[in-house]
């Protein structure tokens, strides 16, 4: 017969499973606490700067002349007629001289070549043949002159006293509107600046000091929570190690949480002792690892998770309120299982270590 009865072995396996589960839950909670960060300092109020709208003068477009090409041709024809009247004698004389020269040249050539009439006809035809190209050239020249004259007339209109007065009036109105806009924006900016100054004063005298005070309190309480968990974790780990060393019931290869839970469920539902239960486990261990170990661990953790987290939060609240006595009482309540395990298995040295750790923690200033 073994050192322990079957009910005693079940109790040892249960206690090992309880401590292992508690250690896992506490380690997860400790990691969570260490990863927490306090809220960031609210950003300082920003000064809003208004933009002054830029008023552009509504300058009327420069007036355009209604002078057309037909007007230009009429003026040119009138000027030409006037020029003809003034130079009529000169034109008649030049024309007569040219005509006489053409006749003389034609007759002279005819006497030499016996084809004077024909040559005279060719000469006259050539002269008339030049009329069409000359007409085209005259048209192009007239268009160029017309464009220049129209441009000059538009330029004169753009510099007319009436138009310049309209431009100045538009600029004056724009300047008045610009000044009005600047005054309105300046007034609004002054109001915004006054509010910003008030907000900054509140930020520097209230928000920042309050935040720093809350941050210091959070750091202090966070350090206490972490220290508490680290102490509990250490005690649970030492208690578990002592349990294994004292009972010599569970070897190293069977100390995983899922195995402890499997052995506990198997032994309490049968009359198997731990030796026979481990033999059954070994026969099908690979399949259990693959298919059920995760589920078994989740079940073990879930059975204790809510109660342990509730116990943590009760201690947290006491720590945050600065009530060290209440926090100690809550911790002692949370350690009821550990104390029971220590007493059940006569782990006396653990009782002393636990009391010393508690005293050291709560006597810290």
């Amino acid at each position: 017969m073994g050192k322990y009865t079957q009910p005693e072995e079940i109790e040892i396996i249960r206690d090992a499973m309880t401590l292992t589960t508690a250690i896992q839950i506490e380690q997860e909670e400790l990691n969570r606490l260490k990863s927490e960060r306090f809220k960031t300092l609210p950003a300082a109020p920003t000064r809003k700067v208004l933009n002054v709208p830029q008023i552009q003068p509504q300058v009327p477009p420069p007036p355009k002349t209604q002078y057309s090409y037909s007007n230009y041709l009429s003026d040119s024809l009138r000027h030409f007629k006037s020029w003809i009247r003034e130079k009529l004698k000169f034109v008649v004389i030049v024309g007569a001289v040219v005509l006489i020269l053409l006749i003389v040249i034609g007759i002279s050539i005819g006497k030499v070549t016996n084809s004077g009439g024909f040559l005279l006809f060719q000469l006259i035809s050539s002269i008339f043949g030049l009329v069409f190209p000359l007409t085209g050239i005259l048209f192009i020249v007239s268009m160029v002159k017309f464009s220049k004259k129209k441009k000059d007339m538009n330029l004169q209109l753009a510099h007319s006293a009436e138009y310049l007065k309209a431009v100045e009036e538009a600029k004056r109105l724009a300047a008045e509107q610009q000044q009005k806009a600047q005054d309105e924006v300046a007034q609004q900016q002054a109001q915004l600046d006054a509010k910003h100054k008030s907000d900054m004063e509140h930020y520097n005298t209230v928000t920042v000091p309050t935040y720093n005070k809350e941050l210091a309190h959070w750091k202090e309480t966070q350090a206490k929570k972490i220290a508490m968990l680290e102490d509990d974790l250490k005690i649970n780990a030492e208690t578990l190690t002592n349990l294994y060393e004292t009972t010599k019931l569970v070897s190293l290869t069977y100390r995983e949480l899922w195995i402890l839970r499997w052995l506990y469920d198997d032994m309490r539902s049968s009359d198997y002792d731990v030796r026979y239960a481990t033999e059954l486990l070994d026969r099908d261990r690979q399949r259990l690892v693959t298919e059920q170990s995760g589920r078994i661990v989740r079940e073990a953790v879930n059975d204790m998770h809510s109660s342990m987290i509730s116990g943590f939060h009760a201690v947290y609240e006491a720590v945050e309120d600065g009530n060290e006595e209440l926090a100690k009482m809550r911790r002692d309540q949370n350690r009821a299982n550990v104390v029971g395990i220590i007493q059940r298995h006569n782990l006396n040295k653990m009782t002393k270590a636990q009391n010393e750790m508690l005293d050291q923690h709560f006597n810290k200033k």
Side-chain angles (χ1 to χ4, degrees), residues 67-84 138-139 141-143 145-146 149:
Y67 191 70
S68 64
Y69 185 64
S70 61
N71 297 138
Y72 174 77
L73 290 179
S74 297
D75 291 344
S76 298
L77 182 59
R78 187 171 60 255
H79 292 154
F80 180 73
K81 289 179 179 179
S82 176
W83 182 80
I84 289 295
L138 289 173
F139 174 74
V141 171
S142 68
M143 285 299 297
K145 289 184 175 182
F146 166 70
K149 183 172 183 178

Side-chain angles (χ1 to χ4, degrees), residues 79-341:
H79 292 154
F80 180 73
K81 289 179 179 179
S82 176
W83 182 80
I84 289 295
R85 284 195 298 268
E86 293 176 0
K87 307 295 183 179
L88 180 59
K89 292 181 179 180
F90 175 76
V91 171
V92 171
I93 293 171
V94 172
V97 171
V98 171
L99 181 60
I100 292 170
L101 286 174
L102 288 174
I103 293 172
V104 171
I105 293 170
I107 293 173
S108 300
I109 294 173
K111 288 180 178 181
V112 175
T113 60
N114 294 320
S115 57
F118 177 72
L119 288 174
L120 181 60
F121 174 76
Q122 281 188 322
L123 184 59
I124 294 172
S125 298
S126 299
I127 293 172
F128 280 102
L130 293 174
V131 171
F132 295 104
L134 288 174
T135 302
I137 294 172
L138 289 173
F139 174 74
I140 293 173
V141 171
S142 68
M143 285 299 297
V144 171
K145 289 184 175 182
F146 166 70
S147 297
K148 184 177 182 305
K149 183 172 183 178
K150 188 174 181 180
K151 181 178 180 181
D152 291 340
M153 293 174 71
N154 286 332
L155 188 60
Q156 289 177 0
L157 290 174
H159 288 82
S160 65
E162 183 179 357
Y163 176 69
L164 293 177
K165 182 179 179 181
V167 171
E168 289 301 319
E169 180 64 15
K171 291 180 178 180
R172 186 188 64 79
L173 291 175
E176 288 181 356
Q177 294 173 353
Q178 184 69 56
Q179 186 61 50
K180 182 180 179 181
Q182 289 176 347
D183 293 343
E184 291 177 352
V185 170
Q187 184 179 4
Q188 295 173 4
Q189 187 67 58
Q191 294 174 351
L192 290 175
D193 289 345
K195 184 178 185 305
H196 177 259
K197 182 180 179 180
S198 174
D199 291 343
M200 281 300 301
E201 184 177 355
H202 182 272
Y203 180 79
N204 291 324
T205 59
V206 178
T207 303
V208 173
T210 300
Y211 174 84
N212 290 334
K213 183 179 179 180
E214 291 175 352
L215 176 60
H217 177 71
W218 181 86
K219 286 182 176 179
E220 181 182 357
T221 57
Q222 197 76 353
K224 289 181 179 179
K225 294 175 189 177
I226 291 173
M228 176 204 73
L229 276 175
E230 289 177 339
D231 289 348
D232 287 354
L233 194 59
K234 182 178 180 181
I235 290 173
N236 285 339
E238 290 179 355
T239 303
L240 180 61
T241 299
N242 247 271
L243 179 65
Y244 286 140
E245 291 177 352
T246 301
T247 61
K248 305 292 186 184
L249 189 66
V250 182
S251 64
L252 286 172
T253 55
Y254 298 99
R255 293 178 183 179
E256 295 180 53
L257 179 56
W258 78 270
I259 295 177
L260 294 171
R261 177 61 182 250
W262 189 93
L263 292 174
Y264 175 68
D265 289 343
D266 187 66
M267 291 174 65
R268 69 173 178 167
S269 63
S270 66
D271 59 356
Y272 302 152
D273 61 7
V274 70
R275 181 186 298 275
Y276 188 70
T278 54
E279 290 177 357
L280 291 176
L281 172 66
D282 288 340
R283 294 176 191 174
D284 208 14
R285 185 168 181 172
Q286 186 58 46
R287 182 184 66 81
L288 288 171
V289 170
T290 303
E291 297 179 2
Q292 300 184 40
S293 62
R295 175 185 59 79
I296 294 173
V297 169
R298 286 194 299 274
E299 290 177 352
V301 171
N302 289 339
D303 286 347
M304 294 177 57
H305 188 270
S306 295
S307 61
M308 286 191 68
I309 295 298
S310 296
F312 293 153
H313 287 169
V315 177
Y316 294 164
E317 289 178 5
V319 170
E320 289 171 357
D321 293 339
N323 192 335
E324 298 290 350
E325 292 299 322
L326 179 60
K328 182 178 183 302
M329 183 183 71
R330 297 296 190 193
R331 290 184 64 184
D332 290 345
Q333 291 173 349
N334 293 342
R335 287 178 174 168
N337 286 334
V338 179
V339 173
I341 291 171

